[in-house]
């Protein structure tokens, strides 16, 4: 899996990241980040929720070339802002991925932990995780350096955000990423350059309790 890291694992990491992102929109209609004013970007930044801890569930559907039926999975995620993201798949097979700024760990159904990538060995990990945490932290300026952003406000305080990569490395992975939500991201659709499409829906999002339990903290160790 280490050899697959630059593309496939990057896509997986990003899907974990957006499960915890909260990115409300600052202005009505479409807004291109390249032409957006500093005031508009700052207004967007001020509307973003910044919980120290966020928990929720996810459902994922991935359409892969050559398969008639989509691949489906579901589970839970845990975001700890100063530690990382735990992405736990419950169905169809139990597994877990722990993403921090410095490494990616996988945990199988028996609890065995394996380092899939380490920043000391894979320098690209820091760049990909920097992008991931920019989504989690709502760092609009960092996102604008890698994506063209187009935002649209919708009724009932809902919004839609489309990210089109302009970074050369990202254009090899994604054609575009679309996010919909309100206070939090509720739906993400990632379209890869090869035509594969992953849709994620998020539910039961909660900021309480506001701190990690001892067991939750242990999962990041």
């Amino acid at each position: 899996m280490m050899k697959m890291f630059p593309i496939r694992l990057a896509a997986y990491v990003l899907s974990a990241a957006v499960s915890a992102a909260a990115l409300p929109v600052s202005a009505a209609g479409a807004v291109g980040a390249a032409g957006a004013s500093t005031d508009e970007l700052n207004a967007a930044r001020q509307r973003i929720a910044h919980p120290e801890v966020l928990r929720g569930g996810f459902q994922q559907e991935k359409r892969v070339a050559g398969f008639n039926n989509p691949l489906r999975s579901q589970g839970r995620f845990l975001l700890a802002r100063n530690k990382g993201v735990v992405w736990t798949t419950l169905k169809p097979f139990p597994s877990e991925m722990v993403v921090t700024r410095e490494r990616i760990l996988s945990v199988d159904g028996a609890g065995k932990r394996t380092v899939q990538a380490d920043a000391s060995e894979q320098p690209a990990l820091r760049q990909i995780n920097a992008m991931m945490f920019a989504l989690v932290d709502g760092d609009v300026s960092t996102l604008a350096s890698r994506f063209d952003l187009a935002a649209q406000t919708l009724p009932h305080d809902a919004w839609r955000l489309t990210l089109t990569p302009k970074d050369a490395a990202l254009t090899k992975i994604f054609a575009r990423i679309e996010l919909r939500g309100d206070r939090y991201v509720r739906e993400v659709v990632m379209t890869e350059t090869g035509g594969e499409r992953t849709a994620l829906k998020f539910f039961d999002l909660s900021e309480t309790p506001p701190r990690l339990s001892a067991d939750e903290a242990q999962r990041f160790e």
Side-chain angles (χ1 to χ4, degrees):
M1 190 169 182
M2 290 286 286
K3 295 179 180 179
M4 296 286 286
F5 172 73
I7 296 181
R8 294 300 178 193
L9 189 53
Y12 194 98
V13 169
L14 187 57
S15 71
V18 296
S19 71
L23 196 56
V25 171
S26 63
V31 180
S37 69
T38 301
D39 289 344
E40 289 172 328
L41 293 176
N42 286 338
R45 207 174 280 117
Q46 291 171 4
R47 294 187 177 192
I48 297 169
H50 291 288
E52 291 299 316
V53 177
L54 186 66
R55 304 169 182 85
F58 73 86
Q59 294 178 333
Q60 177 175 283
E61 180 177 290
K62 183 176 182 65
R63 293 192 174 275
V64 181
F67 289 83
N68 293 327
N69 297 319
L71 306 177
R72 295 186 174 92
S73 61
Q74 64 185 70
R76 305 287 299 175
F77 74 87
L78 167 67
L79 161 70
R81 187 160 298 280
N82 294 322
K83 291 184 176 292
V85 180
V86 179
W87 186 252
T88 304
T89 300
L90 301 176
K91 296 180 180 180
F93 306 106
S95 65
E96 188 166 274
M97 180 170 283
V98 181
V99 182
T100 71
R101 294 184 186 277
E102 295 297 320
R103 63 181 182 173
I104 298 174
L105 294 173
S106 65
V107 185
D108 64 19
K112 181 181 178 181
R113 297 161 65 90
T114 303
V115 176
Q116 296 293 347
D118 190 293
S120 63
E121 300 175 355
Q122 296 281 346
L125 176 65
R126 289 193 179 95
Q127 297 179 9
I128 292 173
N129 283 6
M131 179 181 65
M132 183 194 77
F133 283 103
L135 281 165
V136 174
D137 291 334
D139 187 344
V140 177
S141 297
T142 297
L143 293 176
S145 70
R146 294 174 177 267
F147 295 92
D148 288 323
L149 309 180
Q152 182 180 12
T153 54
L154 302 171
H156 308 297
D157 295 323
W159 52 268
R160 177 169 57 226
L161 183 68
T162 302
L163 290 73
T164 304
K166 56 185 179 182
D167 182 290
L170 291 177
T171 60
K172 296 178 181 179
I173 306 170
F174 299 109
R176 65 183 178 279
I177 303 172
E178 298 169 283
L179 298 86
R180 295 173 181 260
D182 38 50
R183 177 175 171 83
Y184 306 109
V185 171
R186 302 291 179 176
E187 183 176 2
V188 178
V189 178
M190 296 181 291
T191 303
E192 298 181 35
T193 53
E196 296 185 358
R197 181 178 180 273
T198 302
L200 301 103
K201 293 184 178 181
F202 306 103
F203 55 90
D204 293 342
L205 301 177
S206 175
E207 301 177 21
T208 56
R211 291 181 173 81
L212 295 175
S213 68
D215 288 343
E216 289 174 331
Q218 182 64 35
R219 295 164 76 182
F220 290 100
E221 299 300 327

